[in-house]
Amino acid sequence: MLFGSLADLAGKSELWFSNCQDIQSLKDKLLNEFPELRNSKFLISVDKKLVKDNHQLQPGTEVAFLPPFAGG
Amino acid sequence: MKEKKRHNVFVKGSISPQLIADSIAKHSTKTTIGAHDIFLGQVRADVIENKNVLAIDYSTYEEMAEEKFHEIREAAFSKFDLTCMHIYHSIGKVKAGEICLFVFVSSKHRASAFDACRYIVEEIKANVPIWGKEIFEDETFVWKENK
């Protein structure tokens, strides 16, 4: 899932990728498909929890790319 | 008695002064409270590259945001001696000058209310997945980023 500026740049907010074993491979695929996101800052969440390091992924896992927050 | 009831944080559009007034009025029956503290976030008409911000269009990752708000609420109740707490945040378009965040904490004495209110606002700004698109007069926009 892409949010905020990332969804704007990619032109979509939901994407499905298959054969992604971990966050790094998913990120590579995403940036390969949308090179316009390469200069963007973002955090990553796996099933709504922020993750800092690479992380193994199971099929059906919800991964979100979150640009800098701007609430309040 | 601590009130930990989950309620919907997100309000479509701006937060009306009426909602704020009604929230204050509802506390008149809770007579163990001696201090309320309120934070109101208001949309600023910033000037960016000579263009005026007319409104901010807020969006969120709602399921994650609700979890974060819940964590913040639980943490605030455990850190501070609070009687109750209410948080409302706008979603969608809010015009400059209108209210987009309302944090309302109540306790027996002022120190807990002051400290908790600041803690909650800082936590929301840093950790809740909410984004804001600053919309200019000519309908172009930039994405806001919290400092």
Short mmCIF file of all heavy atoms in Angstrom, two decimals, chain A residues 1-9 41 43-51 62-72, chain B residues 39 41 58-64 67-68 71 89 100-101 124-133 141 143-146:
data_model
loop_
_atom_site.label_atom_id
_atom_site.label_comp_id
_atom_site.label_asym_id
_atom_site.label_seq_id
_atom_site.Cartn_x
_atom_site.Cartn_y
_atom_site.Cartn_z
N MET A 1 0.85 -1.18 0.00
CA MET A 1 0.00 0.00 0.00
C MET A 1 0.89 1.23 0.00
O MET A 1 1.91 1.27 0.67
CB MET A 1 -0.88 0.01 1.25
CG MET A 1 -1.83 -1.18 1.32
SD MET A 1 -2.67 -1.24 2.90
CE MET A 1 -4.08 -0.21 2.55
N LEU A 2 0.44 2.23 -0.74
CA LEU A 2 1.19 3.49 -0.80
C LEU A 2 0.29 4.59 -0.26
O LEU A 2 -0.92 4.58 -0.51
CB LEU A 2 1.57 3.81 -2.24
CG LEU A 2 2.43 2.80 -2.97
CD1 LEU A 2 2.60 3.22 -4.43
CD2 LEU A 2 3.78 2.64 -2.31
N PHE A 3 0.88 5.54 0.45
CA PHE A 3 0.09 6.62 1.02
C PHE A 3 0.69 7.98 0.66
O PHE A 3 1.86 8.07 0.29
CB PHE A 3 0.01 6.48 2.54
CG PHE A 3 -0.87 5.33 2.96
CD1 PHE A 3 -0.32 4.09 3.22
CD2 PHE A 3 -2.24 5.50 3.05
CE1 PHE A 3 -1.14 3.02 3.59
CE2 PHE A 3 -3.06 4.44 3.42
CZ PHE A 3 -2.51 3.20 3.69
N GLY A 4 -0.11 9.01 0.84
CA GLY A 4 0.33 10.40 0.69
C GLY A 4 1.02 10.64 -0.63
O GLY A 4 0.55 10.24 -1.69
N SER A 5 2.19 11.29 -0.54
CA SER A 5 2.93 11.68 -1.75
C SER A 5 3.33 10.46 -2.58
O SER A 5 3.43 10.54 -3.80
CB SER A 5 4.18 12.46 -1.34
OG SER A 5 4.95 11.70 -0.44
N LEU A 6 3.55 9.31 -1.93
CA LEU A 6 3.97 8.12 -2.67
C LEU A 6 2.85 7.63 -3.59
O LEU A 6 3.09 7.25 -4.74
CB LEU A 6 4.38 6.99 -1.72
CG LEU A 6 5.47 7.32 -0.69
CD1 LEU A 6 5.72 6.11 0.20
CD2 LEU A 6 6.76 7.73 -1.38
N ALA A 7 1.61 7.66 -3.08
CA ALA A 7 0.46 7.24 -3.88
C ALA A 7 0.27 8.21 -5.05
O ALA A 7 -0.06 7.80 -6.17
CB ALA A 7 -0.80 7.20 -3.02
N ASP A 8 0.54 9.47 -4.79
CA ASP A 8 0.44 10.49 -5.84
C ASP A 8 1.45 10.24 -6.95
O ASP A 8 1.12 10.28 -8.13
CB ASP A 8 0.79 11.85 -5.22
CG ASP A 8 -0.39 12.77 -5.17
OD1 ASP A 8 -1.51 12.32 -5.47
OD2 ASP A 8 -0.18 13.94 -4.82
N LEU A 9 2.68 9.99 -6.54
CA LEU A 9 3.76 9.79 -7.52
C LEU A 9 3.54 8.53 -8.34
O LEU A 9 3.76 8.51 -9.55
CB LEU A 9 5.12 9.71 -6.81
CG LEU A 9 5.67 11.02 -6.25
CD1 LEU A 9 6.84 10.77 -5.32
CD2 LEU A 9 6.11 11.95 -7.39
N LYS A 41 11.36 9.92 0.78
CA LYS A 41 11.62 9.35 2.11
C LYS A 41 10.39 8.55 2.52
O LYS A 41 9.27 9.00 2.28
CB LYS A 41 11.80 10.47 3.14
CG LYS A 41 13.16 11.12 3.12
CD LYS A 41 13.34 12.00 4.35
CE LYS A 41 12.54 13.27 4.23
NZ LYS A 41 12.68 14.18 5.38
N LEU A 43 8.86 5.37 5.60
CA LEU A 43 8.98 4.30 6.59
C LEU A 43 8.17 3.13 6.04
O LEU A 43 7.33 3.33 5.16
CB LEU A 43 8.41 4.73 7.94
CG LEU A 43 9.08 5.91 8.63
CD1 LEU A 43 8.24 6.35 9.83
CD2 LEU A 43 10.48 5.53 9.08
N ILE A 44 8.41 1.95 6.59
CA ILE A 44 7.68 0.78 6.12
C ILE A 44 6.98 0.12 7.30
O ILE A 44 7.56 -0.02 8.38
CB ILE A 44 8.65 -0.22 5.45
CG1 ILE A 44 9.25 0.44 4.19
CG2 ILE A 44 7.95 -1.53 5.08
CD1 ILE A 44 10.33 -0.38 3.52
N SER A 45 5.72 -0.27 7.08
CA SER A 45 5.01 -1.04 8.11
C SER A 45 4.63 -2.40 7.54
O SER A 45 4.34 -2.53 6.36
CB SER A 45 3.78 -0.30 8.61
OG SER A 45 2.78 -0.30 7.62
N VAL A 46 4.66 -3.40 8.41
CA VAL A 46 4.24 -4.75 8.07
C VAL A 46 3.08 -5.08 9.00
O VAL A 46 3.25 -5.05 10.22
CB VAL A 46 5.39 -5.76 8.25
CG1 VAL A 46 4.91 -7.19 8.04
CG2 VAL A 46 6.53 -5.45 7.29
N ASP A 47 1.92 -5.35 8.42
CA ASP A 47 0.71 -5.58 9.20
C ASP A 47 0.53 -4.49 10.27
O ASP A 47 0.29 -4.78 11.44
CB ASP A 47 0.70 -6.98 9.81
CG ASP A 47 0.45 -8.03 8.72
OD1 ASP A 47 -0.23 -7.72 7.71
OD2 ASP A 47 0.94 -9.16 8.88
N LYS A 48 0.70 -3.24 9.84
CA LYS A 48 0.43 -2.03 10.64
C LYS A 48 1.45 -1.75 11.74
O LYS A 48 1.25 -0.88 12.58
CB LYS A 48 -0.98 -2.05 11.23
CG LYS A 48 -2.06 -2.17 10.17
CD LYS A 48 -3.40 -2.49 10.75
CE LYS A 48 -4.35 -2.99 9.70
NZ LYS A 48 -4.14 -4.42 9.35
N LYS A 49 2.57 -2.50 11.74
CA LYS A 49 3.63 -2.21 12.71
C LYS A 49 4.85 -1.73 11.94
O LYS A 49 5.23 -2.38 10.95
CB LYS A 49 4.04 -3.47 13.50
CG LYS A 49 2.90 -4.13 14.24
CD LYS A 49 2.67 -3.49 15.60
CE LYS A 49 1.50 -4.13 16.32
NZ LYS A 49 0.59 -3.17 16.93
N LEU A 50 5.46 -0.64 12.42
CA LEU A 50 6.65 -0.14 11.74
C LEU A 50 7.78 -1.15 11.86
O LEU A 50 7.96 -1.76 12.92
CB LEU A 50 7.10 1.18 12.37
CG LEU A 50 6.25 2.41 12.08
CD1 LEU A 50 6.86 3.63 12.75
CD2 LEU A 50 6.10 2.67 10.58
N VAL A 51 8.53 -1.33 10.78
CA VAL A 51 9.70 -2.21 10.83
C VAL A 51 10.92 -1.39 10.41
O VAL A 51 10.82 -0.54 9.52
CB VAL A 51 9.55 -3.46 9.93
CG1 VAL A 51 8.49 -4.38 10.49
CG2 VAL A 51 9.24 -3.09 8.50
N GLU A 62 0.33 -7.49 4.64
CA GLU A 62 0.05 -6.12 4.21
C GLU A 62 1.26 -5.24 4.55
O GLU A 62 1.59 -5.05 5.71
CB GLU A 62 -1.19 -5.61 4.95
CG GLU A 62 -1.63 -4.22 4.52
CD GLU A 62 -2.93 -3.81 5.20
OE1 GLU A 62 -3.97 -4.45 4.93
OE2 GLU A 62 -2.90 -2.87 6.01
N VAL A 63 1.89 -4.75 3.50
CA VAL A 63 3.05 -3.88 3.69
C VAL A 63 2.67 -2.49 3.22
O VAL A 63 2.08 -2.33 2.15
CB VAL A 63 4.27 -4.39 2.88
CG1 VAL A 63 5.48 -3.48 3.10
CG2 VAL A 63 4.60 -5.83 3.26
N ALA A 64 3.00 -1.49 4.02
CA ALA A 64 2.67 -0.11 3.63
C ALA A 64 3.92 0.74 3.62
O ALA A 64 4.79 0.59 4.48
CB ALA A 64 1.63 0.48 4.58
N PHE A 65 4.01 1.61 2.62
CA PHE A 65 5.10 2.58 2.50
C PHE A 65 4.55 3.93 2.92
O PHE A 65 3.59 4.42 2.32
CB PHE A 65 5.64 2.59 1.07
CG PHE A 65 6.32 1.29 0.70
CD1 PHE A 65 5.57 0.18 0.34
CD2 PHE A 65 7.70 1.18 0.75
CE1 PHE A 65 6.18 -1.02 0.04
CE2 PHE A 65 8.32 -0.03 0.45
CZ PHE A 65 7.57 -1.13 0.09
N LEU A 66 5.15 4.48 3.98
CA LEU A 66 4.57 5.65 4.64
C LEU A 66 5.49 6.86 4.53
O LEU A 66 6.56 6.88 5.15
CB LEU A 66 4.34 5.33 6.12
CG LEU A 66 3.69 3.97 6.43
CD1 LEU A 66 3.77 3.67 7.92
CD2 LEU A 66 2.24 3.94 5.97
N PRO A 67 5.10 7.87 3.78
CA PRO A 67 5.93 9.08 3.72
C PRO A 67 5.88 9.82 5.07
O PRO A 67 5.11 9.45 5.95
CB PRO A 67 5.29 9.90 2.60
CG PRO A 67 3.91 9.39 2.47
CD PRO A 67 3.91 7.96 2.93
N PRO A 68 6.73 10.85 5.25
CA PRO A 68 6.77 11.55 6.56
C PRO A 68 5.37 12.01 7.01
O PRO A 68 4.58 12.50 6.20
CB PRO A 68 7.68 12.75 6.28
CG PRO A 68 8.56 12.31 5.15
CD PRO A 68 7.69 11.43 4.30
N PHE A 69 5.12 11.83 8.29
CA PHE A 69 3.80 12.12 8.84
C PHE A 69 3.57 13.63 8.96
O PHE A 69 4.51 14.40 9.15
CB PHE A 69 3.62 11.48 10.22
CG PHE A 69 3.80 9.99 10.22
CD1 PHE A 69 4.22 9.32 11.38
CD2 PHE A 69 3.55 9.23 9.08
CE1 PHE A 69 4.39 7.94 11.39
CE2 PHE A 69 3.71 7.84 9.08
CZ PHE A 69 4.14 7.20 10.25
N ALA A 70 2.31 14.02 8.89
CA ALA A 70 1.99 15.46 8.94
C ALA A 70 0.69 15.73 9.69
O ALA A 70 -0.01 16.68 9.40
CB ALA A 70 1.90 16.00 7.52
N GLY A 71 0.42 14.87 10.68
CA GLY A 71 -0.82 15.07 11.45
C GLY A 71 -0.72 16.27 12.38
O GLY A 71 0.37 16.77 12.66
N GLY A 72 -1.86 16.69 12.85
CA GLY A 72 -1.92 17.75 13.86
C GLY A 72 -1.94 19.15 13.29
O GLY A 72 -1.87 19.33 12.10
N PHE B 39 -5.65 21.26 23.68
CA PHE B 39 -4.82 21.72 22.58
C PHE B 39 -5.67 21.72 21.31
O PHE B 39 -6.36 20.74 21.03
CB PHE B 39 -3.60 20.80 22.38
CG PHE B 39 -2.77 21.23 21.19
CD1 PHE B 39 -1.78 22.19 21.33
CD2 PHE B 39 -3.00 20.69 19.92
CE1 PHE B 39 -1.03 22.61 20.24
CE2 PHE B 39 -2.25 21.12 18.83
CZ PHE B 39 -1.27 22.07 18.98
N GLY B 41 -5.24 22.35 17.22
CA GLY B 41 -4.38 22.59 16.06
C GLY B 41 -5.21 23.30 15.01
O GLY B 41 -6.34 22.90 14.73
N TYR B 58 -6.40 16.23 4.57
CA TYR B 58 -5.78 15.17 5.37
C TYR B 58 -6.22 13.78 4.92
O TYR B 58 -7.40 13.55 4.63
CB TYR B 58 -6.17 15.33 6.85
CG TYR B 58 -5.49 16.50 7.53
CD1 TYR B 58 -6.17 17.68 7.75
CD2 TYR B 58 -4.16 16.41 7.93
CE1 TYR B 58 -5.55 18.76 8.37
CE2 TYR B 58 -3.54 17.48 8.55
CZ TYR B 58 -4.23 18.64 8.76
OH TYR B 58 -3.61 19.70 9.37
N SER B 59 -5.25 12.87 4.90
CA SER B 59 -5.57 11.46 4.64
C SER B 59 -4.82 10.61 5.66
O SER B 59 -3.92 11.10 6.34
CB SER B 59 -5.17 11.08 3.21
OG SER B 59 -3.81 11.36 2.98
N THR B 60 -5.20 9.36 5.76
CA THR B 60 -4.59 8.50 6.79
C THR B 60 -4.58 7.04 6.35
O THR B 60 -5.26 6.66 5.40
CB THR B 60 -5.36 8.63 8.12
OG1 THR B 60 -4.69 7.85 9.12
CG2 THR B 60 -6.80 8.12 8.02
N TYR B 61 -3.81 6.26 7.08
CA TYR B 61 -3.85 4.79 6.99
C TYR B 61 -4.67 4.43 8.23
O TYR B 61 -4.13 4.27 9.32
CB TYR B 61 -2.41 4.28 7.07
CG TYR B 61 -2.20 2.79 7.00
CD1 TYR B 61 -3.22 1.89 6.72
CD2 TYR B 61 -0.91 2.28 7.19
CE1 TYR B 61 -2.97 0.53 6.66
CE2 TYR B 61 -0.65 0.93 7.13
CZ TYR B 61 -1.67 0.06 6.86
OH TYR B 61 -1.41 -1.29 6.80
N GLU B 62 -5.98 4.39 8.07
CA GLU B 62 -6.89 4.43 9.21
C GLU B 62 -6.68 3.30 10.23
O GLU B 62 -6.64 3.56 11.43
CB GLU B 62 -8.35 4.45 8.75
CG GLU B 62 -9.28 4.78 9.91
CD GLU B 62 -10.67 5.21 9.48
OE1 GLU B 62 -10.90 5.40 8.28
OE2 GLU B 62 -11.52 5.35 10.37
N GLU B 63 -6.51 2.07 9.74
CA GLU B 63 -6.38 0.96 10.70
C GLU B 63 -5.12 1.13 11.56
O GLU B 63 -5.15 0.87 12.76
CB GLU B 63 -6.30 -0.40 9.98
CG GLU B 63 -7.55 -0.76 9.19
CD GLU B 63 -7.52 -0.21 7.76
OE1 GLU B 63 -6.66 0.64 7.45
OE2 GLU B 63 -8.37 -0.64 6.96
N MET B 64 -4.04 1.56 10.93
CA MET B 64 -2.80 1.75 11.70
C MET B 64 -2.92 2.97 12.62
O MET B 64 -2.47 2.94 13.76
CB MET B 64 -1.62 1.91 10.74
CG MET B 64 -0.28 2.01 11.45
SD MET B 64 1.08 2.05 10.27
CE MET B 64 2.41 2.51 11.37
N GLU B 67 -4.80 2.16 15.73
CA GLU B 67 -3.96 1.42 16.67
C GLU B 67 -3.00 2.35 17.40
O GLU B 67 -2.78 2.22 18.60
CB GLU B 67 -3.15 0.34 15.94
CG GLU B 67 -3.95 -0.91 15.68
CD GLU B 67 -3.10 -2.05 15.11
OE1 GLU B 67 -1.87 -2.05 15.28
OE2 GLU B 67 -3.71 -2.95 14.50
N LYS B 68 -2.43 3.28 16.64
CA LYS B 68 -1.48 4.24 17.24
C LYS B 68 -2.19 5.13 18.27
O LYS B 68 -1.67 5.37 19.35
CB LYS B 68 -0.84 5.11 16.16
CG LYS B 68 0.21 4.37 15.37
CD LYS B 68 1.50 4.27 16.18
CE LYS B 68 2.44 3.26 15.55
NZ LYS B 68 3.50 2.83 16.49
N GLU B 71 -2.64 3.18 21.36
CA GLU B 71 -1.38 3.05 22.11
C GLU B 71 -1.05 4.35 22.86
O GLU B 71 -0.61 4.32 24.01
CB GLU B 71 -0.21 2.74 21.15
CG GLU B 71 -0.18 1.31 20.66
CD GLU B 71 0.85 1.13 19.53
OE1 GLU B 71 1.81 1.92 19.43
OE2 GLU B 71 0.66 0.19 18.74
N HIS B 89 -9.26 14.19 15.35
CA HIS B 89 -8.42 14.69 14.25
C HIS B 89 -9.25 14.72 12.97
O HIS B 89 -10.01 13.79 12.70
CB HIS B 89 -7.20 13.78 14.07
CG HIS B 89 -6.11 14.44 13.27
ND1 HIS B 89 -6.26 14.77 11.93
CD2 HIS B 89 -4.87 14.86 13.62
CE1 HIS B 89 -5.15 15.36 11.51
NE2 HIS B 89 -4.30 15.43 12.51
N CYS B 100 -8.13 21.46 13.15
CA CYS B 100 -7.91 20.12 12.59
C CYS B 100 -7.53 19.09 13.66
O CYS B 100 -7.53 17.90 13.39
CB CYS B 100 -6.83 20.17 11.52
SG CYS B 100 -5.29 20.89 12.12
N LEU B 101 -7.18 19.56 14.86
CA LEU B 101 -6.83 18.62 15.94
C LEU B 101 -7.36 19.18 17.26
O LEU B 101 -7.18 20.37 17.55
CB LEU B 101 -5.30 18.45 16.02
CG LEU B 101 -4.76 17.67 17.23
CD1 LEU B 101 -5.24 16.22 17.22
CD2 LEU B 101 -3.23 17.70 17.26
N ILE B 124 1.22 12.27 18.66
CA ILE B 124 0.38 12.24 17.45
C ILE B 124 1.19 12.74 16.27
O ILE B 124 1.23 12.12 15.20
CB ILE B 124 -0.89 13.11 17.64
CG1 ILE B 124 -1.81 12.46 18.67
CG2 ILE B 124 -1.63 13.31 16.31
CD1 ILE B 124 -2.98 13.35 19.12
N LYS B 125 1.88 13.86 16.47
CA LYS B 125 2.64 14.45 15.35
C LYS B 125 3.75 13.52 14.87
O LYS B 125 4.02 13.45 13.68
CB LYS B 125 3.22 15.81 15.77
CG LYS B 125 2.12 16.85 15.91
CD LYS B 125 2.67 18.25 15.82
CE LYS B 125 1.55 19.25 15.70
NZ LYS B 125 1.45 19.85 14.38
N ALA B 126 4.39 12.82 15.82
CA ALA B 126 5.53 11.99 15.44
C ALA B 126 5.15 10.60 14.95
O ALA B 126 5.83 10.04 14.08
CB ALA B 126 6.48 11.87 16.63
N ASN B 127 4.08 10.03 15.46
CA ASN B 127 3.87 8.59 15.26
C ASN B 127 2.58 8.14 14.60
O ASN B 127 2.40 6.95 14.37
CB ASN B 127 3.98 7.89 16.63
CG ASN B 127 5.37 8.05 17.22
OD1 ASN B 127 6.36 7.94 16.51
ND2 ASN B 127 5.44 8.34 18.50
N VAL B 128 1.66 9.05 14.34
CA VAL B 128 0.39 8.59 13.74
C VAL B 128 0.44 8.83 12.23
O VAL B 128 0.77 9.93 11.78
CB VAL B 128 -0.82 9.31 14.37
CG1 VAL B 128 -2.11 8.79 13.76
CG2 VAL B 128 -0.85 9.10 15.88
N PRO B 129 0.15 7.77 11.44
CA PRO B 129 0.24 7.92 9.98
C PRO B 129 -0.90 8.76 9.41
O PRO B 129 -1.95 8.25 9.02
CB PRO B 129 0.20 6.47 9.47
CG PRO B 129 -0.52 5.71 10.53
CD PRO B 129 -0.21 6.40 11.84
N ILE B 130 -0.65 10.06 9.40
CA ILE B 130 -1.60 11.02 8.82
C ILE B 130 -0.78 11.90 7.88
O ILE B 130 0.36 12.27 8.21
CB ILE B 130 -2.24 11.90 9.92
CG1 ILE B 130 -3.10 11.04 10.86
CG2 ILE B 130 -3.11 13.01 9.31
CD1 ILE B 130 -3.62 11.77 12.09
N TRP B 131 -1.35 12.19 6.72
CA TRP B 131 -0.66 13.05 5.75
C TRP B 131 -1.53 14.23 5.40
O TRP B 131 -2.77 14.15 5.48
CB TRP B 131 -0.31 12.24 4.49
CG TRP B 131 0.59 11.11 4.85
CD1 TRP B 131 1.94 11.17 5.06
CD2 TRP B 131 0.20 9.75 5.14
NE1 TRP B 131 2.42 9.95 5.46
CE2 TRP B 131 1.37 9.05 5.52
CE3 TRP B 131 -1.01 9.04 5.15
CZ2 TRP B 131 1.38 7.71 5.87
CZ3 TRP B 131 -1.01 7.71 5.50
CH2 TRP B 131 0.17 7.06 5.86
N GLY B 132 -0.88 15.32 5.02
CA GLY B 132 -1.63 16.55 4.70
C GLY B 132 -1.12 17.16 3.41
O GLY B 132 0.08 17.39 3.23
N LYS B 133 -2.06 17.39 2.52
CA LYS B 133 -1.74 18.01 1.25
C LYS B 133 -2.11 19.49 1.40
O LYS B 133 -3.28 19.80 1.66
CB LYS B 133 -2.67 17.36 0.23
CG LYS B 133 -2.21 17.31 -1.17
CD LYS B 133 -3.38 16.78 -2.00
CE LYS B 133 -2.91 15.71 -2.93
NZ LYS B 133 -3.99 15.30 -3.84
N PHE B 141 -0.59 21.86 -5.21
CA PHE B 141 -0.42 21.47 -3.80
C PHE B 141 1.01 21.00 -3.51
O PHE B 141 1.76 20.69 -4.44
CB PHE B 141 -1.40 20.35 -3.44
CG PHE B 141 -1.19 19.09 -4.24
CD1 PHE B 141 -0.25 18.13 -3.84
CD2 PHE B 141 -1.91 18.86 -5.40
CE1 PHE B 141 -0.04 16.98 -4.57
CE2 PHE B 141 -1.70 17.70 -6.15
CZ PHE B 141 -0.77 16.77 -5.73
N TRP B 143 3.01 18.42 -0.33
CA TRP B 143 2.75 17.56 0.83
C TRP B 143 3.47 18.14 2.04
O TRP B 143 4.66 18.39 2.00
CB TRP B 143 3.22 16.13 0.54
CG TRP B 143 2.31 15.44 -0.43
CD1 TRP B 143 2.45 15.37 -1.78
CD2 TRP B 143 1.09 14.75 -0.12
NE1 TRP B 143 1.40 14.68 -2.34
CE2 TRP B 143 0.55 14.29 -1.34
CE3 TRP B 143 0.40 14.49 1.07
CZ2 TRP B 143 -0.65 13.57 -1.41
CZ3 TRP B 143 -0.78 13.77 1.01
CH2 TRP B 143 -1.30 13.31 -0.22
N LYS B 144 2.71 18.29 3.11
CA LYS B 144 3.23 18.85 4.35
C LYS B 144 4.08 17.80 5.07
O LYS B 144 3.84 16.61 4.93
CB LYS B 144 2.01 19.22 5.21
CG LYS B 144 2.26 19.89 6.53
CD LYS B 144 0.90 20.25 7.16
CE LYS B 144 1.04 20.66 8.60
NZ LYS B 144 0.91 19.55 9.55
N GLU B 145 5.06 18.30 5.84
CA GLU B 145 5.88 17.38 6.64
C GLU B 145 6.06 17.97 8.03
O GLU B 145 6.42 19.14 8.15
CB GLU B 145 7.25 17.21 5.96
CG GLU B 145 8.08 16.12 6.55
CD GLU B 145 9.36 15.85 5.73
OE1 GLU B 145 9.35 16.01 4.51
OE2 GLU B 145 10.36 15.47 6.36
N ASN B 146 5.80 17.18 9.07
CA ASN B 146 5.94 17.71 10.44
C ASN B 146 7.40 17.94 10.80
O ASN B 146 8.26 17.14 10.45
CB ASN B 146 5.31 16.75 11.46
CG ASN B 146 3.81 16.93 11.53
OD1 ASN B 146 3.27 17.91 11.03
ND2 ASN B 146 3.12 15.98 12.15
#
